[in-house]
């Protein structure tokens, strides 16, 4: 296996950099999905298109078993202006692969090519190429449109590159790996006036400022210190000029948490706090809280399988089975709500973090990720003879 993926490395780099040149936002991955479908078909893999508009599922069968697993990669880019001078930098203004989904797609294509050529497994592998992971919840849409009814599986697996983790190392954990992500908006309505005559109006700006300050106490004074939560105000909009007190101010931001009880506490507390601060100043508050991505929760048996596969490939010293969770979020969480599975981090080494305008996927880890996917499928769907030999060894 090692020699085959090493020989494929140059081609994987070419595929990845082509995807990088032509990034596409969520639900707009027309070129990307067409390219994925074409490559899968050329490998002799059955191709299904149209789930969540631009999603692609490749189905590969070998042997006699009807046992099935799913391997998932994301395809979408971000609305970020690339600030690199790479020869293969984005050709599309304001859009770039700043999270490595070009690399994720390439690694899964590499594994699909290998598995289609060797078919050293007994069962069914569904290769899920998902659109719109960034904010739009493409995974949720694929599930709502019948992903697991059309492609029944026992388990589902995902992977993300991770700058800062040593190159080629793996990290995972049982339980929550990524946090839930929710959005909020608070509109503070007052009464506009000339800035020279503030007593004739009802200024929403100092009211909004009090709300922003008060929100900072939620995590420190309302959430159990044993639990984790984040409340981040990321936008404040109000007013259009220097000498007019505006009618209203809009506050927006997001929250992160790991358990439903904390999610509920944050939502209800923020609503009450906003309303009461506004009432104290005779202003009005309009509060909206939108549930986004749930926590990404790995299941124990699948973490053990993924860790064992990774250890065989890179050695136990380069596999962290109990990595600290992160407050980032990932819509693979929706798939884990429906099927047991494991989401792993693949070390990308030093460099800018994901979502940075100077980020670039580390091409050195392309064979590592592809090799992991292939070995995972062969392990999960080992033939009875292979399983017996593995147990004996």
């Amino acid at each position: 296996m090692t020699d085959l993926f090493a020989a494929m490395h140059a081609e994987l780099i070419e595929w990845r950099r082509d995807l990088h040149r032509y990034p596409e936002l969520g639900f707009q991955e027309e070129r990307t999905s067409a390219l994925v479908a074409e490559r899968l078909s050329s490998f002799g893999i059955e191709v299904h298109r149209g789930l969540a508009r631009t999603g692609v599922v490749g189905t590969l069968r070998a042997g006699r078993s009807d046992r099935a697993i799913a391997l998932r990669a994301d395809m979408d880019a971000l609305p970020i202006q690339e600030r690199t001078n790479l020869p293969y930098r984005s050709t599309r203004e304001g859009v770039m692969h700043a999270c490595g989904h070009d690399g994720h797609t390439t690694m899964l294509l590499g594994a699909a090519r290998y598995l289609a050529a060797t078919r050293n497994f007994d069962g069914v592998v569904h290769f899920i190429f998902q659109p719109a992971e960034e904010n739009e919840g493409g995974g949720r849409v694929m599930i709502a449109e019948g992903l697991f009814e059309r492609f029944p599986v026992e388990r589902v697996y995902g992977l993300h590159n991770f700058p800062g983790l040593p190159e080629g190392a793996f990290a995972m954990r049982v339980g929550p790996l990524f946090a839930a992500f929710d959005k909020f908006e608070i509109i503070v309505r007052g009464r506009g006036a000339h800035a020279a005559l503030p007593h004739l109006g009802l200024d929403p700006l100092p009211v909004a400022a009090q709300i922003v300050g008060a929100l900072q106490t939620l995590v420190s004074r309302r959430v159990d210190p044993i639990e984790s939560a984040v409340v981040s105000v990321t936008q404040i909009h109000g007013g259009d000029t220097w000498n007019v007190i505006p009618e209203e101010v809009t506050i927006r931001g997001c929250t992160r948490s790991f358990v439903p009880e904390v999610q509920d506490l944050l939502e209800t507390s923020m609503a009450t706090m906003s309303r009461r601060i506004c009432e104290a100043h005779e202003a009005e508050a309009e509060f909206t809280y939108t549930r986004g991505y749930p926590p990404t929760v790995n299941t124990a048996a699948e973490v053990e399988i993924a860790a064992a596969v990774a250890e065989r490939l890179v050695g136990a010293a380069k596999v962290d089975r109990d990595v600290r969770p992160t407050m980032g979020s990932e819509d693979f969480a929706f798939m884990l709500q429906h099927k047991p599975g494991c989401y792993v981090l693949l070390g990308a080494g030093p460099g800018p973090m994901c979502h940075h305008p100077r980020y670039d996927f580390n091409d050195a880890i392309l064979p590592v990720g592809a090799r992991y996917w292939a070995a995972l499928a062969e392990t999960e769907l080992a033939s009875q003879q292979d399983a017996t030999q593995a147990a004996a060894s």
Side-chain angles (χ1 to χ4, degrees):
M1 178 187 289
T2 300
D3 290 341
L4 287 173
F5 282 106
M8 202 190 301
H9 194 180
E11 194 167 9
L12 294 177
I13 292 174
E14 182 182 336
W15 294 356
R16 203 283 295 183
R17 294 183 178 182
D18 176 74
L19 291 171
H20 191 89
R21 286 188 187 95
Y22 304 103
E24 296 171 301
L25 297 175
F27 297 124
Q28 299 175 30
E29 307 94 332
E30 300 293 345
R31 179 186 185 275
T32 305
S33 64
L35 186 151
V36 166
E38 179 184 346
R39 291 227 167 95
L40 291 174
S41 181
S42 73
F43 304 155
I45 294 174
E46 182 181 320
V47 177
H48 310 267
R49 300 185 65 181
L51 270 180
R53 290 154 58 178
T54 50
V56 180
V57 179
T59 298
L60 180 64
R61 296 177 174 84
R64 298 181 178 180
S65 174
D66 59 0
R67 292 188 59 229
I69 64 166
L71 310 177
R72 173 270 203 178
D74 36 22
M75 300 188 294
D76 57 322
L78 281 156
I80 294 175
Q81 181 63 45
E82 183 164 354
R83 300 296 181 192
T84 74
N85 291 314
L86 298 167
Y88 51 86
R89 62 186 174 273
S90 172
T91 61
R92 294 177 174 165
E93 190 73 17
V95 183
M96 75 170 288
H97 271 295
C99 203
H101 297 184
D102 48 348
H104 302 164
T105 297
T106 299
M107 290 188 291
L108 191 55
L109 282 172
R113 180 181 182 180
Y114 168 86
L115 290 168
T118 58
R119 300 189 185 238
N120 185 31
F121 64 94
D122 188 16
V124 183
V125 181
H126 296 297
F127 304 95
I128 300 172
F129 293 87
Q130 181 207 302
E133 188 279 326
E134 303 284 0
N135 298 315
E136 295 91 353
R140 172 174 50 195
V141 177
M142 291 189 88
I143 291 167
E145 293 183 3
L147 175 66
F148 291 131
E149 287 76 28
R150 290 181 59 184
F151 308 100
V153 297
E154 295 177 7
R155 296 169 171 139
V156 62
Y157 292 92
L159 176 153
H160 204 292
N161 80 100
F162 205 76
L165 192 68
E167 182 181 300
F170 286 84
M172 62 211 74
R173 75 187 307 270
V174 176
L177 178 65
F178 288 103
F181 163 60
D182 300 329
K183 297 182 289 187
F184 65 86
E185 179 181 83
I186 306 165
I187 301 176
V188 180
R189 292 195 172 92
R191 188 170 61 255
H194 194 289
L197 303 167
H199 61 291
L200 299 180
L202 200 169
D203 193 343
L205 283 162
V207 182
Q210 286 193 29
I211 291 173
V212 171
L215 291 177
Q216 310 310 307
T217 68
L218 286 176
V219 174
S220 65
R221 288 297 176 266
R222 298 298 305 276
V223 175
D224 185 333
I226 303 301
E227 300 292 349
S228 298
V230 172
V231 176
S232 293
V233 174
T234 57
Q235 300 179 47
I236 301 178
H237 302 282
D240 299 303
T241 189
W242 290 267
N243 62 345
V244 177
I245 292 172
E247 289 279 332
E248 64 182 41
V249 173
T250 300
I251 305 165
R252 296 192 184 106
C254 65
T255 69
R256 312 281 173 150
S257 56
F258 285 114
V259 296
E261 294 79 9
V262 173
Q263 270 185 300
D264 295 341
L265 173 66
L266 292 175
E267 180 176 359
T268 57
S269 298
M270 293 173 75
T272 300
M273 181 179 288
S274 303
R275 184 179 68 252
R276 289 182 177 171
I277 290 174
C278 283
E279 287 173 352
H281 294 273
E282 300 180 0
E284 296 179 0
E286 179 182 329
F287 178 77
T288 305
Y289 192 94
T290 305
R291 299 289 175 112
Y293 294 177
T296 303
V297 182
N298 287 334
T299 43
E302 288 65 36
V303 169
E304 177 58 35
I305 292 168
V309 169
E311 287 178 357
R312 289 203 306 273
L313 295 178
V314 300
K318 295 186 69 174
V319 178
D320 184 351
R321 290 169 170 256
D322 193 24
V323 68
R324 290 181 64 187
T326 172
M327 300 308 285
S329 59
E330 163 61 57
D331 88 339
F332 187 69
F334 292 110
M335 297 189 184
L336 290 175
Q337 285 187 324
H338 289 79
K339 298 292 178 180
C342 178
Y343 195 71
V344 306
L345 306 178
L346 173 58
M353 292 299 292
C354 295
H355 294 217
H356 191 284
R358 289 185 173 83
Y359 167 87
D360 185 37
F361 186 89
N362 183 356
D363 287 330
I365 65 172
L366 287 170
V368 182
R371 199 175 292 130
Y372 164 76
W373 281 135
L376 184 62
E378 290 177 343
T379 300
E380 275 276 31
L381 301 175
S383 66
Q384 189 60 47
Q385 179 179 354
D386 290 342
T388 301
Q389 290 175 349
S393 63

